[in-house]
């Protein structure tokens, strides 16, 4: 239990670093740009890769920073390219996803199995159940009418998103892009 609490306190402490904030700002810009290249199929299904920078923030800075990043980015994306009415409940669901990803990734070795597990948990809880509930309230559609196509889309995208995120994160780690954050972490803990 102490490790779990430490995970959140360390992540909250990350937000005090200028390096963290600037890195998050750069990744937010990348996420916004990637968001313009998403494919929308009706008002209930969107396929895109703007979640990759989100995952990197969760991996580098943890659940608290991830929740703040996901929430702020959701609002920024909506202001830049509104799609439908604004729904604060959807922003809270996105923030929950940041917390969940942060709990799976922060200060842990990134493996394909960890990424698959994290993506599955977020896919099931946030994308399929909670987002579908929010869309039901927002658009007045029957929950069971939109659930099957949303579940199918998420089931199809689960391994694809997992492999893409894992591959990009590992490549960035191998070229040493994350190393500066690791050194900073070691200095803080010494």
């Amino acid at each position: 239990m102490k490790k779990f609490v430490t995970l959140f306190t360390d992540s909250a402490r990350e937000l005090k670093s200028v390096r963290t904030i600037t890195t998050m700002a750069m990744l937010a810009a990348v996420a916004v740009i990637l968001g313009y290249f998403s494919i929308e199929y009706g008002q209930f299904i969107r396929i895109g890769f703007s979640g990759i920078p989100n995952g990197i923030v969760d991996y580098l800075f943890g659940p608290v920073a991830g929740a703040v990043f996901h929430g702020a980015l959701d609002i920024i994306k909506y202001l830049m390219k509104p799609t439908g009415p604004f729904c604060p409940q959807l922003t809270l669901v996105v923030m929950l996803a940041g917390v969940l990803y942060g709990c799976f990734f922060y200060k842990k070795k990134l493996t394909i199995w960890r990424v698959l597990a994290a993506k599955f948990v977020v896919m099931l809880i946030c994308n399929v159940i909670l987002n579908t509930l929010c869309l039901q309230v927002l658009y007045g559609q029957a929950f069971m009418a939109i659930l099957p196509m949303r579940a199918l889309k998420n089931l199809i995208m689960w391994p694809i998103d997992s492999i893409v995120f894992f591959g990009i994160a590992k490549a960035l780690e191998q070229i040493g892009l994350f190393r500066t954050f690791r050194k900073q972490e070691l200095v803080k803990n010494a």
Side-chain angles (χ1 to χ4, degrees), residues 40-150:
E40 294 186 28
Y41 184 74
Q43 61 187 20
F44 302 113
I45 298 192
R46 184 181 316 144
I47 298 170
F49 296 102
S50 64
I52 295 168
N54 296 12
I56 292 171
V57 167
D58 302 329
Y59 173 62
L60 291 174
F61 308 120
V64 174
V68 169
F69 181 80
H70 285 245
L73 188 59
D74 186 62
I75 294 168
I76 290 168
K77 283 175 156 181
Y78 180 79
L79 292 173
M80 293 183 75
K81 183 183 175 189
T83 53
F86 180 72
C87 180
Q89 295 91 333
L90 285 171
T91 301
L92 292 174
V93 172
V94 170
M95 292 174 75
L96 174 62
V99 170
L100 292 172
Y101 281 132
C103 289
F104 271 94
F105 297 153
Y106 187 53
K107 294 187 177 186
K108 295 182 176 87
K109 183 174 171 49
L110 198 63
T111 65
I112 189 65
W113 300 112
R114 182 178 303 280
V115 173
L116 281 166
K119 292 274 185 187
F120 183 79
V121 167
V122 170
M123 176 200 71
L124 182 64
I125 295 171
C126 296
N127 298 354
V128 174
I129 297 170
L130 295 176
N131 277 354
T132 306
L133 280 171
C134 290
L135 291 172
Q136 173 197 8
V137 170
L138 196 61
Y139 292 109
Q141 297 284 328
F143 181 80
M144 291 309 292
I146 58 178
L147 180 68
M149 78 175 154
R150 290 186 51 76

Side-chain angles (χ1 to χ4, degrees), residues 1-11 13 106-107:
M1 184 67 178
K2 186 178 178 186
K3 276 186 174 182
F4 189 70
V5 172
T6 304
L7 191 73
F8 283 87
T9 56
D10 288 351
S11 178
R13 216 172 291 129
Y106 187 53
K107 294 187 177 186

